[in-house]
Amino acid sequence: MSFVEDLDGSFLYSAWGDGLFRCDSNFQHIPLNISGIPEKNDISAWDLCQRADGTIWMGGQDGRLLIYNPRTRSARELKPAAIGRRTIRQIVEDKAGNMWLGTQNYGVAKWDPVKAADNFEQGFSVLQTVPGTLIEKLFVDKAGDLWVCTIVDGVYKIDPADGKILAHYTEKGEPGKRLLNK
């Protein structure tokens, strides 16, 4: 489902229904070796995102968020209330260090590390400018704008500083600025 390179050069990867695994640079299976996650586990991480600080965020079913610290080889599991127990399908970090989580039928949530300074949960808020639908992809472009691809309402270009819509593309847009319709 997803994979990411760890700081030691190994790779973490997730397989639907089978769990989270680790392999070396030759793609040979090696022990997971993460405190807080058993070797045999049920983690089906839809997305793995390594932050600038080196931590790896893993989004899963039922609003499950795992945060893995490669320096300490330990992980903690959270179920942020702002996610509404919805599957976390996409995770990206913007240039300001905010984390964006795309969910299954709940839209997009933002985690602001400044607001989370005293309490991790207080860093979360739901992006109100994007509908509460299935988010298929999140992407931060080189200018720092957040792109949100939804399953039913097109693609949004969002200003990550204030959450305002900069552009919205659908199949009904003007010529040259519309999405194809299957």
Side-chain angles (χ1 to χ4, degrees):
M1 295 175 61
S2 187
F3 68 94
V4 68
E5 186 174 9
D6 201 340
L7 295 180
D8 65 2
S10 67
F11 294 91
L12 294 174
Y13 64 95
S14 172
W16 178 255
D18 287 330
L20 183 69
F21 302 94
R22 183 184 299 275
C23 65
D24 63 21
S25 59
N26 294 315
F27 303 105
Q28 299 300 310
H29 179 78
I30 58 175
L32 190 58
N33 193 23
I34 298 175
S35 175
I37 302 177
E39 286 297 319
K40 291 190 182 276
N41 60 76
D42 65 348
I43 299 168
S44 293
W46 282 84
D47 201 12
L48 302 167
C49 176
Q50 189 166 45
R51 296 191 66 208
D53 69 4
T55 59
I56 297 172
W57 286 39
M58 305 176 204
Q61 300 290 113
D62 199 31
R64 188 179 198 181
L65 175 66
L66 285 105
I67 300 177
Y68 163 57
N69 182 333
R71 290 175 181 85
T72 62
R73 290 277 190 173
S74 62
R76 62 184 173 140
E77 181 176 337
L78 306 152
K79 287 198 176 181
I83 303 300
R85 298 184 62 94
R86 301 294 185 164
T87 297
I88 302 169
R89 296 174 56 96
Q90 292 284 300
I91 305 176
V92 295
E93 180 179 22
D94 69 22
K95 291 184 175 191
N98 300 305
M99 299 300 289
W100 296 88
L101 291 74
T103 68
Q104 177 90 19
N105 300 326
Y106 203 70
V108 178
K110 175 182 179 180
W111 180 80
D112 181 332
V114 174
K115 292 180 180 175
D118 294 328
N119 180 326
F120 186 85
E121 283 278 338
Q122 289 179 350
F124 285 97
S125 61
V126 175
L127 184 62
Q128 299 299 317
T129 52
V130 174
T133 187
L134 188 149
I135 305 302
E136 293 193 300
K137 182 71 177 166
L138 294 176
F139 177 76
V140 176
D141 66 21
K142 63 182 176 183
D145 295 321
L146 174 69
W147 291 81
V148 179
C149 301
T150 72
I151 194 161
V152 295
D153 199 37
V155 177
Y156 291 83
K157 181 179 179 183
I158 304 291
D159 180 340
D162 59 15
K164 290 186 179 173
I165 298 171
L166 300 174
H168 182 207
Y169 302 95
T170 69
E171 73 276 0
K172 296 176 184 157
E174 62 184 80
K177 292 187 176 183
R178 73 174 81 155
L179 300 175
L180 295 175
N181 190 359
K182 297 181 192 178

